[in-house]
Amino acid sequence: MKYCSECGSSRLERRLQGHDTHYRMFCGECDKVFYHNPKMIAGCIVEHEGKFLMCQRAINPRPGSWTLPAGFMECGETVEEAAVREVWEETGARVEIVAPYSLFSVPQIDEVYIMFRARLLEFTDQPGPETAEARLLAPEEIPWENIFYPAIKDILQRYIAEYNKSSFGMYLGCSQEGTVHFAH
Ligand SMILES: [Zn+2]
């Protein structure tokens, strides 16, 4: 950011003000504060008859790699709506949320992920432009070596192990402090 969005001044500065706990960007002209907070990413693990809905990325980053459908939450929607919308946009599948499954923070890049368990309602097989291919894959069909994000691989492996026992927990994690898992 080069100019204040309020008054157009280029006098932007970082400072700690009053009792605030964090340094903020301020406009030196009109005193507007520019808050910068983590982004929320929502997605789903969609299981259907022992298969799991995955998509192959068509765009950067990592085109060709496989992942679970997820994406940035938009303003004005709930986190559940964001997860359902992202699944629809990336895979062409209509789903309904069952329960939250995994919540993890990536403080290095200021992102928070929430993954829900979801039930498949309809699979149109018409993925959006960000997706090369969307498929329901049995565990042995999943291209484990081609899942770029370790956390996604971790979540999916854990989910499949729990699916085989029909008992799902809630997983909390962070890339710095390892993982904590609360079983029901
Ligand atoms: Zn200003």
Side-chain angles (χ1 to χ4, degrees), residues 3-9 11-12 26-32 34:
Y3 301 100
C4 173
S5 59
E6 198 73 14
C7 74
S9 166
R11 278 185 54 210
L12 300 178
F26 283 80
C27 174
E29 198 69 39
C30 75
D31 251 7
K32 183 175 170 68
F34 298 96

Side-chain angles (χ1 to χ4, degrees), residues 18-35:
H19 298 290
D20 203 343
T21 53
H22 286 71
Y23 276 83
R24 312 282 179 198
M25 186 77 88
F26 283 80
C27 174
E29 198 69 39
C30 75
D31 251 7
K32 183 175 170 68
V33 192
F34 298 96
Y35 292 96

Side-chain angles (χ1 to χ4, degrees), residues 88-108:
W88 168 249
E89 289 177 4
E90 294 192 349
T91 69
R94 295 203 184 278
V95 299
E96 90 187 336
I97 301 287
V98 175
Y101 184 66
S102 174
L103 180 63
F104 65 97
S105 309
V106 191
Q108 297 90 333

